[in-house]
Amino acid sequence: MSRLLWASEDIELATGGMATAPFVVTGGVSIDTRTLQPGDLFVALTDQRDGHDFVEAAFKAGAAGALVSKPVTGGPVVQVDDVLEALTALGIAARIRCGAVRTAVTGSAGKTSVKEMLSQIYASFGPSHSNAKSFNNHWGVPLTLARMPEDTQRAIFEIGMNTPGEIAPRSHMVRPQIGIITCIAAAHLEGLGSIEAIALEKSDIFAGLEAGGTIILPADDVFLDFLADRARKLCPTANVETFGRSADATARIVDYQTDGRTSQITVDVVGQSATVTIEAVGEHWASNVAAALLAASQTGRSVAECALALSGYAPPPGRGTAETLALPSGGAFTLIDDAYNANPASMRAALNSLAQRTGGRRLAALGDMREIGSTSLAEHVALAGPIAQAGVEGIFLAGPEMQRLAEALPPGLPQASAPSADQLWNQLTKALKDGDLLLIKGSNASGMGRLADRLRQWSAEAAPGKMDSGPEETARVS
C-alpha cells in the first residue's frame, strides 16, 4: 500500500491555496513531467519555461494533483498566488511535521560527494531523505523539503549559491541541527567578487542552525578561524567540530592508501578509529570521508557503524566515476568522468587523482572553468603545473579559456584544442588507444559531460554487449 505524503487539505493549509477537488499524494513532488511518477504532486514552477504548459501532460502521466497559480484543466489542483512561494511554504510544513535530524552541507568543492556519502550512511539506519542530484538552489531546497516523508529519521540537504544572499534563506528553510562547510575555494568569483566573500556567504549555512547544534568545519582551510568566529556569532550555543589532517581535528585523517582503483581511508574521531574503502581515487576523498563520518556520528550512531555503512561508496555520475569502455579498433580505455562541474580546486584534485591511477597513458580532456571572474586567465594558466605533475601524456582542451592554458603547457606535450567540447570529438577519438586513462572535466556549461556521454555511446555502438562498466568500472550551483 502506498503511503500518504500529502493530502490536498494539508497543502491548502500550508500554502493558503484553494483546492478544486480533494486528492491525496502517494508518490513524490515533481517539477518535470519526464520523470513524474503516478501519484506525484506536480508543481508548475516558472523558470526557463512555464510549468503550467505541462499540467495536462502531468495528469496524463498519473499526477495525483497539481500546485498552480492560474486555472488549468485535466485534474484536481491547489491554486495559489505564487507557485514558488507555495512550494517553499509546503517545504517548511514538511520540516515542521517531521522529527528528522537534519544536516546541511555547503562548500566550494566536495559538497555533493559529502551529501551522497551521508545519504548512504543515513539510509542504513532507517528512513532517510536527501536532495536528488544537486537540487540545491532556490527551488531545489524547498522541493527537497516538500518531498520529505513524515517518518524520516535522518535527512541531508545540499545548499548552494551563485551570488550573495542565497544561502541564509535556504538554511532558515532547513533549520539543520548539523551544518557542514567542506572547503573554501575560488568558485563563483564572478558572482561573489573575492574568495573572502565566498567564505562569508558559505558561513551563512549556520544562519538557520538550531540552538545547540553542531558546526563542522575544514581544519586545514586557511579560512578556519574566520568560519568558526562567524559560525559562533550566528549560533552561539553550537559546538564547533573540525575534520582534516590537522592534529587538532575532531575527525583526523590518519592514513590514505590507493591501489589506483579504490581508496582505503583511516579516520580517528575523538579516539575512535575506523577505516573505509571507497570506489574512488584521490586524497581529496579522505576529507570527504572524514566530514561524512564526523557528521553521521553526531546522529546517534557509532563511528564504526557509520564507517561500515559508508564502505563501498562510489561517486555518482560525473563526479569521478571510472568506466572501462571498448574501443572500435579493439581493446579498451578507462573513462574517468568528472565532468559535472569544475573550479580551480576541484580541477587540481582531479588531476592529482589521475596521477594516482594505474594503467596506460594518462590523457586529460579539459573544458573551461566558468564563473571565476577576473582571475579566470590566471587560474586556467596555473593548471599547467598540476598537469605536468600528474604525468599527463596527452591533453585535449575545449573552450576559449582553455586555449590560454595551451600556451603555458610544457614544450613537447602532445595537445589538441577546439573552440568547444563537441568540436574536440574527432581529435580525441583518433588519439585513444588500448589501455589509456582518460580524464574528462570542465564546468557543466562547458559541455564536457556531453563528450563523456558521446564516448559511452560510441563505445556501445562499436562493441554492443561488450562494454564493461560498474562502480569503478561502474565513480548547478556551488
Side-chain angles (χ1 to χ4, degrees):
M1 181 178 178
S2 299
R3 61 180 176 179
L4 174 69
L5 181 66
W6 292 105
S8 54
E9 56 265 33
D10 296 325
I11 299 173
E12 287 181 296
L13 184 63
T15 65
M18 182 70 68
T20 58
F23 64 89
V24 294
V25 178
T26 56
V29 180
S30 174
I31 60 171
D32 190 340
T33 57
R34 295 169 296 181
T35 56
L36 184 143
Q37 298 296 311
D40 283 359
L41 172 70
F42 179 68
V43 179
L45 285 177
T46 298
D47 194 31
Q48 294 180 345
R49 301 182 71 177
D50 188 347
H52 293 85
D53 295 339
F54 301 92
V55 173
E56 183 178 350
F59 282 120
K60 287 181 178 178
L67 188 63
V68 301
S69 60
K70 57 188 177 184
V72 295
T73 59
V77 304
V78 173
Q79 187 167 336
V80 296
D81 292 333
D82 183 282
V83 174
L84 180 57
E85 289 181 4
L87 177 62
T88 300
L90 192 64
I92 292 171
R95 184 202 76 209
I96 291 171
R97 73 179 182 180
C98 175
V101 177
R102 297 177 302 278
T103 305
V105 59
T106 194
S108 300
K111 62 184 176 299
T112 299
S113 297
V114 171
K115 183 262 294 186
E116 292 289 337
M117 287 179 173
L118 284 171
S119 179
Q120 179 169 314
I121 296 170
Y122 289 171
S124 298
F125 302 142
S128 62
H129 186 65
S130 66
N131 308 66
K133 301 180 181 178
S134 288
F135 286 2
N136 61 22
N137 62 1
H138 63 290
W139 55 259
V141 173
L143 176 64
T144 302
L145 279 166
R147 289 172 166 175
M148 183 167 62
E150 188 173 359
D151 66 350
T152 300
Q153 295 176 2
R154 294 172 178 82
I156 169 67
F157 299 86
E158 180 182 335
I159 297 180
M161 57 84 186
N162 284 315
T163 56
E166 295 185 52
I167 288 184
R170 297 166 199 170
S171 176
H172 283 295
M173 284 183 214
V174 173
R175 296 292 298 172
Q177 292 97 336
I178 303 167
I180 308 168
I181 294 178
T182 57
C183 70
I184 302 299
H188 296 295
L189 283 174
E190 192 171 62
L192 277 296
S194 68
I195 196 166
E196 290 78 14
I198 292 171
L200 179 64
E201 178 67 17
K202 294 295 186 182
S203 67
D204 275 348
I205 190 77
F206 307 114
L209 191 70
E210 294 277 13
T214 300
I215 294 163
I216 296 178
L217 300 173
D220 308 315
D221 200 288
V222 295
F223 284 95
L224 173 63
D225 292 340
F226 171 84
L227 295 173
D229 289 345
R230 183 96 200 294
R232 289 189 183 98
K233 290 177 182 176
L234 291 169
C235 190
T237 60
N239 300 310
V240 176
E241 310 290 355
T242 60
F243 65 92
R245 293 188 176 277
S246 169
D248 299 327
T250 312
R252 182 169 57 87
I253 300 166
V254 175
D255 188 43
Y256 172 84
Q257 299 290 334
T258 182
D259 59 7
R261 300 188 69 78
T262 64
S263 295
Q264 191 174 75
I265 298 156
T266 302
V267 180
D268 181 287
V269 184
V270 196
Q272 299 181 59
S273 181
T275 299
V276 175
T277 299
I278 64 172
E279 303 288 332
V281 174
E283 292 198 36
H284 62 288
W285 286 104
S287 292
N288 296 338
V289 167
L293 290 182
L294 178 55
S297 68
Q298 304 293 309
T299 70
R301 292 287 182 160
S302 70
V303 174
E305 289 175 312
C306 296
L308 181 62
L310 182 56
S311 283
Y313 168 84
R319 299 286 187 174
T321 52
E323 307 158 63
T324 301
L325 301 183
L327 285 166
S329 57
F333 71 99
T334 299
L335 170 64
I336 304 152
D337 181 4
D338 202 355
Y340 188 85
N341 220 330
N343 60 47
S346 67
M347 190 70 83
R348 289 191 293 271
L351 288 164
N352 180 61
S353 298
L354 178 63
Q356 295 178 305
R357 290 189 179 273
T358 56
R361 295 186 304 168
R362 296 185 180 92
L363 309 177
L366 309 180
D368 285 350
M369 300 180 289
R370 303 289 180 88
E371 300 181 21
I372 301 178
S374 60
T375 63
S376 182
L377 172 59
E379 293 288 4
H380 281 83
V381 170
L383 293 176
I387 288 169
Q389 292 165 12
V392 172
E393 297 171 69
I395 193 157
F396 304 83
L397 303 173
E401 295 297 298
M402 280 297 171
Q403 305 312 302
R404 309 303 292 271
L405 167 62
E407 302 167 9
L409 290 172
L413 174 64
Q415 60 176 277
S417 61
S420 70
D422 294 331
Q423 292 170 288
L424 204 58
W425 174 255
N426 287 336
Q427 299 174 86
L428 181 59
T429 52
K430 288 178 181 177
L432 285 169
K433 297 179 180 179
D434 182 35
D436 283 348
L437 301 167
L438 172 64
L439 167 68
I440 293 186
K441 189 165 182 64
S443 288
N444 196 31
S446 72
M448 298 303 285
R450 291 197 307 272
L451 192 60
D453 289 340
R454 195 173 173 186
L455 282 169
R456 293 185 184 95
Q457 185 62 33
W458 176 63
S459 176
E461 291 173 353
K466 295 183 180 179
M467 184 171 63
D468 176 21
S469 66
E472 172 61 22
E473 276 163 340
T474 66
R476 300 334 179 137
V477 293
S478 298

